[in-house]
Amino acid sequence: MRKKVIAGNWKMNKDLNESQSLVSGIISGLGNDDKCDVIVCPPFTSLSEVHSLIKDTPVKLGAQNMYFEDSGAFTGEISPLMLKSVGCEYVILGHSERRNIFGETDEVINKKTKKALEKELKVIFCIGESLAQREDGVTNDVVKNQIINGLDGISADDMKNIIIAYEPIWAIGTGKTASPEQAQEVHSFIRGLISEKFSSETAENLIIQYGGSVKPDNASSLLSQPDIDGALVGGACLKADSFLSIIASA
Ligand code: 13P
């Protein structure tokens, strides 16, 4: 039985004070409840302070990006060891905003994924199709390519430290959620691919999150699908009560 994993991607929101108050609200609402895993992914500037607030709680810390080198002349970038030094256990890689706004390719995402795993950071590996691709009927081809190229050279053992987040781009920040059936169909396809590429055991144990306008009122119908093992939440994770309500649905 896979434990559900709910992650909040704060994106470029919350300064230091706002981050502290959001995470304090999450911690106090959650108590010691660890029926599902909870991850918060604040901006880089808040990681250290958020870590000091969550370190004795069940809440885990993730970053939203990193670079694939250990150190050096890469102005503006952050290395995996820097993330670990401020308490990160996870890093989100391949988010569609990184792919589309910042031009990250499958090749770059693959390098980042390998480097994160090498440094023992767990990866939330994001994939998903655009509206045009869905309308053209190529959703499965798109996610298949993202998985084959992005996870090139990754072993079955590495897969224990990877969560796949399926985030259809047309559902991100638009208020349009994939229906539970639409999401389940793609999740089941992804699990099948992982089974072919690695093994049925790897596929059975893999956490596949759904992301894209997850809200308190649609979370339970999505999370009750057999292949939806959690959520990667954007807008609705920016208020403690709505994030807690999604966690309660899980
Ligand atoms: P929204 O929940 O705001 O649609 O964002 C989803 C997302 O991109 C999480 O990574």
Side-chain angles (χ1 to χ4, degrees):
M1 187 57 188
R2 295 180 294 267
K3 195 175 180 186
K4 298 259 193 281
V5 183
I6 306 296
N9 175 7
W10 299 12
K11 306 192 180 183
M12 198 176 73
N13 294 293
K14 307 290 177 189
D15 66 17
L16 189 53
N17 283 335
E18 292 164 341
S19 297
Q20 288 165 322
S21 82
L22 175 56
V23 82
S24 302
I26 295 169
I27 295 165
S28 62
L30 199 60
N32 283 322
D33 191 346
D34 62 354
K35 284 200 243 2
C36 73
D37 285 334
V38 176
I39 307 166
V40 291
C41 305
F44 291 134
T45 45
S46 298
L47 287 170
S48 181
E49 288 300 321
V50 167
H51 180 247
S52 55
L53 293 169
I54 63 172
K55 66 176 186 299
D56 298 318
T57 78
V59 179
K60 294 169 178 158
L61 189 65
Q64 300 172 21
N65 186 27
M66 51 155 255
Y67 195 54
F68 54 74
E69 294 287 351
D70 292 342
S71 62
F74 304 103
T75 302
E77 294 296 327
I78 304 278
S79 80
L81 288 181
M82 291 171 183
L83 296 181
K84 289 197 72 175
S85 76
V86 291
C88 288
E89 231 181 284
Y90 290 86
V91 61
I92 298 173
L93 295 176
H95 193 280
S96 60
E97 287 148 17
R98 299 294 324 165
R99 293 176 187 263
N100 297 333
I101 305 172
F102 302 101
E104 290 191 13
T105 59
D106 285 335
E107 194 190 350
V108 165
I109 295 158
N110 178 248
K111 283 188 182 170
K112 290 186 174 189
T113 302
K114 286 180 175 157
K115 182 55 86 171
L117 294 170
E118 179 195 312
K119 302 298 181 194
E120 298 178 334
L121 274 172
K122 294 176 189 146
V123 175
I124 300 179
F125 178 85
C126 303
I127 55 175
E129 83 287 4
S130 66
L131 183 59
Q133 290 166 328
R134 174 156 285 261
E135 288 174 348
D136 286 348
V138 295
T139 297
N140 287 356
D141 300 327
V142 171
V143 300
K144 182 173 180 178
N145 278 334
Q146 289 170 331
I147 287 178
I148 300 296
N149 299 327
L151 298 182
D152 183 45
I154 298 294
S155 69
D157 213 36
D158 289 332
M159 287 304 292
K160 294 179 186 149
N161 295 313
I162 294 185
I163 290 175
I164 291 185
Y166 168 60
E167 299 203 300
I169 299 168
W170 49 273
I172 295 178
T174 57
K176 271 194 219 159
T177 325
S179 68
E181 296 71 27
Q182 280 175 320
Q184 166 58 26
E185 201 181 331
V186 182
H187 281 232
S188 158
F189 174 75
I190 294 168
R191 205 176 301 283
L193 263 180
I194 296 297
S195 179
E196 270 170 40
K197 184 170 159 59
F198 299 96
S199 68
S200 57
E201 193 194 345
T202 305
E204 243 347 273
N205 292 328
L206 176 70
I207 298 294
I208 308 177
Q209 293 178 317
Y210 168 79
S213 298
V214 176
K215 307 277 180 240
D217 61 357
N218 60 25
S220 47
S221 59
L222 287 159
L223 290 165
S224 61
Q225 297 297 313
D227 287 296
I228 302 186
D229 310 312
L232 182 55
V233 185
C237 79
L238 298 176
K239 291 213 166 89
D241 55 355
S242 57
F243 191 53
L244 287 165
S245 149
I246 293 168
I247 294 167
S249 313

